Amino acid sequence: MMAVEKLDTLQTVELAEGVEIRLRIAGPVLRGSAYLIDLAIRIGVIAVCSFIFFFAGIVIGENVSQGFWLLVWFLLDWIYPVFFEAGKHGATPGKRMLGLRVVQSTGSPITLGQAVIRNFLRFIDGFPAITYAIGLGSCLASKRFQRLGDLAAGTVVIYTKQLPPVVI
């Protein structure tokens, strides 16, 4: 009988001390779902701010109000993921809802610099247009499902929830 190899995202990493740890790498579907949750949160914040800045524009001027709106959009688009991933939990709200976390390839928490690199390269991963074809292609070509930002920053996205024990 021929043995069938199962698809497994469990990766073994050897640390400098010679200790081996196992990381459960998250695939592109779950990562994409987390991105859509974060996108919905950001769109909600933009919608609320649009409403507020529309009426504030009457008082402070339309150009000033539009400037504030653009500042909020910039912060949500570029700083939102960096803020959350470099924080204590290492995950945006969407990733936390799905039990994901961004860590270094060694399993350590990521640094602020790594969060900046991986998220600023999200712009390139998003090409062409909004399809994220480059990011998806690099995820599928990488053993650890890393997009270009992850490869450049030396990070991976892992599951944080524990699996039930396997009974053989």
Side-chain angles (χ1 to χ4, degrees):
M1 196 189 252
M2 188 174 177
V4 177
E5 188 176 330
K6 294 181 181 179
L7 179 62
D8 190 9
T9 61
L10 199 59
Q11 302 264 331
T12 302
V13 176
E14 185 175 343
L15 303 178
E17 297 83 14
V19 177
E20 287 188 354
I21 61 169
R22 298 177 81 163
L23 301 175
R24 288 185 53 225
I25 307 296
V29 173
L30 202 55
R31 291 177 65 172
S33 301
Y35 176 78
L36 291 176
I37 292 169
D38 287 325
L39 182 64
I41 291 169
R42 294 187 338 233
I43 288 172
V45 171
I46 289 280
V48 169
C49 287
S50 296
F51 181 76
I52 292 168
F53 291 141
F54 174 77
F55 289 107
I58 298 168
V59 177
I60 62 175
E62 184 179 327
N63 289 338
V64 174
S65 176
Q66 186 177 15
F68 281 126
W69 185 86
L70 288 171
L71 179 63
V72 168
W73 174 82
F74 172 80
L75 292 173
L76 286 173
D77 202 40
W78 291 90
I79 307 301
Y80 169 92
V82 172
F83 174 78
F84 285 109
E85 290 176 0
K88 178 173 81 169
H89 299 289
T92 60
K95 284 184 182 77
R96 286 189 65 197
M97 285 181 198
L98 297 179
L100 303 178
R101 180 183 179 130
V102 181
V103 297
Q104 293 182 29
S105 298
T106 60
S108 309
I110 66 170
T111 64
L112 177 61
Q114 288 173 309
V116 168
I117 290 170
R118 79 178 299 276
N119 285 295
F120 281 19
L121 285 175
R122 185 182 306 277
F123 178 74
I124 294 170
D125 286 327
F127 285 125
I130 59 170
T131 62
Y132 273 82
I134 291 177
L136 181 61
S138 68
C139 268
L140 295 175
S142 168
K143 179 180 169 185
R144 295 181 173 175
F145 297 120
Q146 294 169 295
R147 59 180 182 78
L148 294 179
D150 289 317
L151 291 168
T155 59
V156 292
V157 180
I158 61 168
Y159 293 103
T160 57
K161 295 181 179 172
Q162 295 293 328
L163 287 175
V166 177
V167 179
I168 298 177

